[in-house]
């Protein structure tokens, strides 16, 4: 029963693919787009206008003053073939220009997206660098800088120089006293020896007498 319901035709069953009378045309979009852009750019150049003007002048002159048997567009009918050809060219030129413009718009969108992403990355990088610099400044507050170390070394050197000068003065003031003491000691030594020698001499002389 369930199989019979599923095989029945209804709105819930999709239709099969129909055979196409004409093959599907799917040109390469990149190649076709490049060709249309090239043609659109050529249409916007002065060379295209010059060539188109020369072609129209030659067409009109040939169909006006050329041999009657070789004319292919009647001047009496207002050059119908030329008008038809120009209108056909205009009808194809407008879609080609629109296609080229659409491709340019797509490229502009891609470039804008890339610029936006690049700007966001630059913003993130600058914010990261700003945070790192702020952290370094906070850390460097408690670290001795080069100027601070130089000032401390300079002050310590000045203190050492001052202390050395004071010690030199003190040593210079004490040095003469030591020399006087030494001189006194050296002068008293002969006197002591003489005094020691005199009693001995007097005794010997008295004894001999």
């Amino acid at each position: 029963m369930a199989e019979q319901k599923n095989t029945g035709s209804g709105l819930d069953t999709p239709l099969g693919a129909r055979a196409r009378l004409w093959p599907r045309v799917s040109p390469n979009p990149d190649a076709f787009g490049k060709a249309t852009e090239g043609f659109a750019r050529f249409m916007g150049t002065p060379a295209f206008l010059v060539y188109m003007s020369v072609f129209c002048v030659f067409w009109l002159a040939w169909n006006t003053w050329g041999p009657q048997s070789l004319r292919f567009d009647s001047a009496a009918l207002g050059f119908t073939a030329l008008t038809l050809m120009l209108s056909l060219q205009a009808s194809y030129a407008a879609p080609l220009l629109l296609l080229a413009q659409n491709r340019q718009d797509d490229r502009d969108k891609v470039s804008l997206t890339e610029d936006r992403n690049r700007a966001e990355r630059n913003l993130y990088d600058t914010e990261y660098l700003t945070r790192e610099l702020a952290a370094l400044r906070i850390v460097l507050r408690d670290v001795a800088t080069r100027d601070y170390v130089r000032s401390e070394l300079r002050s310590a050197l000045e203190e050492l120089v001052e202390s050395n000068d004071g010690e030199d003065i003190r040593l210079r003031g004490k040095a003469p006293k030591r020399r006087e003491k030494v001189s006194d000691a050296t002068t008293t030594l002969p006197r002591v020896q003489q005094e020691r020698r005199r009693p001995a001499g007097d005794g010997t002389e008295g004894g001999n007498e």
Side-chain angles (χ1 to χ4, degrees):
M1 295 296 290
E3 292 179 357
Q4 291 179 359
K5 289 181 180 180
N6 291 331
T7 55
S9 62
L11 297 175
D12 56 346
T13 57
L15 295 176
R18 295 180 181 180
R20 291 180 176 272
L21 298 176
W22 301 99
R24 179 179 293 176
V25 179
S26 58
N28 189 3
D30 292 333
F32 186 74
K34 289 180 180 178
T36 54
E37 284 183 351
F39 184 72
R41 289 177 181 175
F42 176 70
M43 289 179 66
T45 58
F48 176 78
L49 296 176
V50 172
Y51 295 153
M52 194 67 187
S53 300
V54 171
F55 176 76
C56 292
V57 168
F58 177 77
W59 184 291
L60 295 173
W62 180 266
N63 290 300
T64 302
W65 296 292
Q68 189 67 31
S69 60
L70 298 177
R71 295 177 186 178
F72 50 85
D73 194 5
S74 177
L77 298 175
F79 302 102
T80 307
L82 180 61
T83 304
L84 180 61
M85 187 183 64
L86 293 176
S87 62
L88 185 64
Q89 180 188 359
S91 63
Y92 275 98
L96 290 175
L97 293 174
L98 290 175
L99 180 61
Q101 186 176 0
N102 292 333
R103 285 176 61 85
Q104 186 64 35
D105 292 339
D106 294 337
R107 284 195 295 269
D108 293 339
K109 288 180 182 179
V110 172
S111 63
L112 287 173
T113 303
E114 292 179 354
D115 293 339
R116 190 180 297 108
N117 295 330
R118 191 179 298 108
E120 290 179 356
R121 288 195 298 270
N122 292 332
L123 180 61
Y124 294 151
D125 293 338
T126 51
E127 289 179 353
Y128 174 75
L129 292 175
T130 304
R131 289 194 297 269
E132 290 295 324
L133 289 174
L136 287 174
R137 287 179 179 178
I138 293 171
V139 171
L140 289 174
R141 288 178 181 176
D142 299 332
V143 177
T145 59
R146 183 175 61 185
D147 297 333
Y148 177 77
V149 172
R150 285 181 177 178
S151 63
E152 291 294 326
L153 291 174
R154 190 179 294 108
S155 61
L157 182 61
E158 291 176 356
E159 291 178 357
L160 287 174
V161 170
E162 291 177 357
S163 62
N164 289 330
D165 293 338
E167 289 180 359
D168 292 338
I169 293 169
R170 184 171 58 80
L171 291 174
R172 289 176 183 175
K174 290 181 179 180
K177 295 179 180 179
R178 290 179 182 177
R179 289 177 182 175
E180 290 176 356
K181 290 180 180 179
V182 172
S183 61
D184 294 337
T186 53
T187 53
T188 54
L189 284 174
R191 293 178 182 177
V192 173
Q193 290 177 357
Q194 291 176 0
E195 291 176 354
R196 288 179 181 179
R197 288 177 182 177
R198 284 177 184 176
D202 294 339
T204 54
E205 292 177 356
N208 292 323
E209 288 178 355

